[in-house]
Amino acid sequence: MLSQESLKLIDVEVAKYPPDQKQSAVMAALRIAQQEKGWLARETIDAVASYLDMPAIAAFEVASFYNMYDLEPVGKHKITVCTNLPCALSGGVHAADYLKQKLGIEFNETTPDGKFTLKEGECMGACGDAPVLLHNNHTMCSWMTTEKIDQLLAELAK
């Protein structure tokens, strides 16, 4: 189900915990699986659980609780916009509305070409950089004016 490369990366995470607590690496293992597969299908979650010797439902509970895990297919570029109060007061809602207009989609939708998915996110811990967005769960983009959003979309569309 997962490549040998991903399993080796999971093994590195598992090694951080006592041998009888492999399941402690579940968040990292799910992240690695999602990076390989693009999203977490139920069978992928089950494979991670099996590899970590834990009940499949326990791994699913983790995957379904945290919003960085995608339980449905997403576009090549997942853009998560923070709309919590500090970001909202500093233009987060405007940035979200601008992205919706530019991409022609709403939150939790993907563009017809499969390039972009737009998500609404919780606080990203960068209130001083508001408005912020997160690209593919890894790249924080700060002070997102309409001009910076246009620049980011142009770069990602390449």
Side-chain angles (χ1 to χ4, degrees), residues 91-110:
V93 173
H94 175 70
D97 289 342
Y98 187 71
L99 278 162
K100 290 177 186 179
Q101 178 252 321
K102 290 291 287 188
L103 297 173
I105 57 174
E106 295 293 321
F107 285 130
N108 300 314
E109 292 182 351
T110 300

Side-chain angles (χ1 to χ4, degrees), residues 24 26 30 46 50-51 54 56 67 105 109 149-150:
S24 296
V26 66
L30 290 169
D46 293 351
S50 176
Y51 194 75
M54 63 187 293
N67 67 359
I105 57 174
E109 292 182 351
I149 290 171
D150 287 340

